Amino acid sequence: MYEYIFVDTSLGGFFTEATHQETIMEYAKQGWRLVQVLPTNYNSHGKPEYYEIIFERPVSDSQNPDLP
């Protein structure tokens, strides 16, 4: 069994810096594995502005007593 977390991020823009790499590395250090990146908001030109990063990690036996 896995648990999931959904994190919003930006790939940057004209005045902002991208933060996706730092976000992925931060969660990886905590045992999360990148599953998928989904665009969530688009600008008027159809370009994605924000993304949702989906991470997963196994649920430990102590968190799920129903596991064998």
Side-chain angles (χ1 to χ4, degrees), residues 11-67:
L11 291 184
F14 192 72
F15 294 109
T16 59
E17 191 171 318
T19 60
H20 64 285
Q21 291 179 350
E22 292 83 5
T23 301
I24 293 168
M25 295 303 289
E26 175 186 329
Y27 281 86
K29 289 177 186 176
Q30 298 173 30
W32 293 97
R33 185 178 77 91
L34 174 66
V35 175
Q36 187 170 6
V37 178
L38 295 172
T40 56
N41 293 42
Y42 296 85
N43 67 17
S44 61
H45 300 288
K47 180 182 177 223
E49 293 184 312
Y50 294 96
Y51 296 81
E52 184 174 74
I53 302 175
I54 304 169
F55 295 96
E56 72 177 4
R57 68 179 173 190
V59 174
S60 68
D61 292 343
S62 62
Q63 291 175 312
N64 189 353
D66 295 334
L67 290 178

